[in-house]
Amino acid sequence: MVRTPADDNTCRAELHEAAQELEKFRQIVETAELGVVTINENHEVVYMNAAAEAMFGYGRQEIMGGDLSPLIPSEHRERHRNYVERYVRTRRGKLIGHTAELEAERRDGSRFPIHISFSTAEVAGGLLMTAILRDLSKEAGLEREVRQSQRLAILGEMVATVSHEIRSPLALIGGFARQLERDPDLGEKSLNKLNIITHEVERLEKILNELGDFSRPHKYNWMETDVSQVVEHVAELMEPEINRAGAQLVVSRNGSLPPVMADTDRLSQVLINLINNALQASGEHPKVEVSVEPESEGVLLEVRDQGPGLKPETIREIFTPFFTTKAGGTGLGLPVARRIVEEHGGRIELANRESGGAVARVRLPTAPAIQQKLPLDGV
């Protein structure tokens, strides 16, 4: 049979149409929010979409053509390889065509929960196995936030009731004690006892105030803010206290900062808390360094001390309400600071420095990035 130019044109048109159809499906898979990873019979990755790259922290050029193992927690790698080999031999498997919730491993070694479904296809005489992945860590985070909000609501009601019942008699005790302290006929032993009473009353009042600050919903006055101006304001505000302590506060700004959406008073509250903690950790004649610089997603604020550093168990518990390593501390300052930072759409962490001492890092997103994270008005 002789092919005509018309036949060639028809064939080219059909091939072009097929290529367009294939590209359409490729774009659908490539832009899907779910991760897609396909391996062959040899446990080698033959495809990985953009969502899977973001999920695991690897570029596809690092994974495709190589073994699947980097995406699997180390203790499960050999078992998974054996499962694939058995399926290739028998064409039978418990998970094919079903879904499961498993644990995956990112490039940085961190683990995260995933929802995964498996499917297979025979292509050009070979077997391809595809996993469709959904990262459950965000959903787990939302569940934790809901539970935390519920706990805070209950705690807020309890604190309001208890504070109301305690504040009045506490104020009377403190008031009467201060009056008696001014009695010229009071003996030294009695005066010392009254001093203890007034000191403990003040401590209890401080606990009530901080507990209320921790449990009450915060109202924010949002505005575009230059974080370096907040740092300068706090440094000026704390200068008398710094001088009294014989301390040194060194402030540095590195690079041009993007604006963040913030309540400057609340952000100042966080910074004051972190600087006070650094001063208390650094011993006599402390030096505290505060730096602010731009980073990929916004602004990084660091407060560094020259103290002995933090024990691992302290780092794990440091943001737990009422946990404190300071004599007379309430254990509420850092939980309040974390809440404020998170309600700014940011995050806060404490770690040890290689050169000694500890560092508090506060990361805040740029103004446009936080718009969807702002609490509702009045919250």
Side-chain angles (χ1 to χ4, degrees):
M1 180 178 177
V2 178
R3 293 183 62 85
T4 66
D7 292 331
D8 290 340
N9 290 337
T10 300
C11 183
R12 281 195 294 269
E14 290 175 350
L15 287 173
H16 181 70
E17 184 177 345
Q20 285 184 319
E21 193 71 11
L22 184 62
E23 177 62 16
K24 178 177 72 175
F25 286 113
R26 192 192 71 81
Q27 287 292 336
I28 290 172
V29 175
E30 183 60 28
T31 57
E33 291 187 2
L34 300 178
V36 178
V37 178
T38 300
I39 63 172
N40 60 20
E41 297 177 355
N42 299 320
H43 210 251
E44 296 168 337
V45 179
V46 298
Y47 179 72
M48 181 179 188
N49 73 344
E53 287 184 297
M55 193 178 294
F56 289 98
Y58 288 98
R60 68 189 74 188
Q61 71 278 3
E62 301 174 86
I63 297 296
M64 286 176 60
D67 196 86
L68 178 67
S69 295
L71 309 187
I72 303 173
S74 55
E75 65 271 23
H76 300 309
R77 289 171 184 171
E78 193 60 31
R79 188 186 312 167
H80 190 274
R81 180 184 292 280
N82 293 337
Y83 174 84
V84 171
E85 291 175 353
R86 186 169 63 250
Y87 184 81
V88 170
R89 289 196 316 270
T90 65
R91 293 299 196 268
R92 287 187 298 178
K94 294 180 180 179
L95 293 178
I96 300 298
H98 296 83
T99 62
E101 289 189 8
L102 304 172
E103 191 175 56
E105 185 170 294
R106 293 188 180 91
R107 180 174 191 156
D108 62 7
S110 60
R111 305 288 181 88
F112 64 104
I114 57 170
H115 182 277
I116 185 168
S117 60
F118 301 92
S119 63
T120 62
E122 296 275 356
V123 179
L127 184 66
L128 296 180
M129 287 153 279
T130 296
I132 298 177
L133 314 156
R134 180 158 57 97
D135 185 348
L136 297 178
S137 56
K138 291 182 180 179
E139 295 176 19
L142 288 173
E143 289 179 7
R144 285 194 298 271
E145 288 180 12
V146 169
R147 289 195 297 270
Q148 176 72 355
S149 297
Q150 292 171 341
R151 286 195 294 268
L152 285 176
I154 295 170
L155 179 61
E157 293 178 6
M158 181 185 72
V159 168
T161 301
V162 172
S163 295
H164 178 73
E165 296 297 326
I166 292 177
R167 281 187 189 279
S168 294
L170 200 60
L172 288 174
I173 293 169
F176 286 139
R178 293 183 187 96
Q179 288 180 20
L180 289 172
E181 284 177 332
R182 295 193 291 270
D183 187 342
D185 299 327
L186 202 64
E188 183 178 351
K189 186 177 291 187
S190 297
L191 184 61
N192 287 338
K193 290 179 180 179
L194 285 172
N195 287 336
I196 292 173
I197 291 173
T198 55
H199 178 268
E200 289 303 303
V201 166
E202 290 171 358
R203 190 175 68 86
L204 288 172
E205 288 174 337
K206 180 182 178 183
I207 291 174
L208 286 176
N209 290 334
E210 291 193 1
L211 190 57
D213 203 24
F214 175 71
S215 61
R216 281 194 306 269
H218 291 160
K219 294 183 178 180
Y220 289 88
N221 180 25
W222 298 105
M223 64 182 68
E224 283 198 357
T225 302
D226 182 341
V227 178
S228 65
Q229 293 181 0
V230 176
V231 173
E232 291 169 5
H233 168 72
V234 168
E236 184 178 355
L237 190 68
M238 296 188 70
E239 185 175 3
E241 184 178 348
I242 298 288
N243 292 337
R244 281 196 302 271
Q248 184 180 6
L249 181 64
V250 179
V251 176
S252 62
R253 168 178 172 167
N254 305 311
S256 177
L257 300 178
V260 304
M261 192 67 71
D263 182 314
T264 56
D265 289 339
R266 291 292 184 182
L267 207 53
S268 297
Q269 180 183 351
V270 171
L271 186 55
I272 290 170
N273 181 284
L274 296 179
I275 292 175
N276 277 329
N277 285 349
L279 288 171
Q280 293 168 10
S282 297
E284 291 185 8
H285 309 297
K287 177 182 177 182
V288 176
E289 300 171 329
V290 179
S291 68
V292 59
E293 62 186 58
E295 59 175 10
S296 58
E297 296 181 358
V299 172
L300 171 63
L301 173 66
E302 289 191 346
V303 179
R304 298 180 289 273
D305 66 48
Q306 295 181 326
L310 301 168
K311 297 178 181 178
E313 58 270 25
T314 300
I315 293 176
R316 287 195 297 271
E317 300 291 338
I318 197 71
F319 292 107
T320 302
F322 303 110
F323 176 85
T324 182
T325 58
K326 298 182 293 186
T330 64
L332 289 170
L334 283 175
V336 170
R338 181 173 70 171
R339 181 181 174 190
I340 292 171
V341 170
E342 290 180 348
E343 288 179 345
H344 277 71
R347 60 189 187 276
I348 181 173
E349 64 179 19
L350 267 73
N352 288 320
R353 303 167 61 192
E354 291 184 5
S355 58
V359 55
R361 297 188 180 97
V362 176
R363 288 182 162 87
L364 297 168
T366 54
I370 193 178
Q371 293 293 339
Q372 299 302 319
K373 300 182 181 180
L374 298 183
L376 297 176
D377 290 340
V379 174

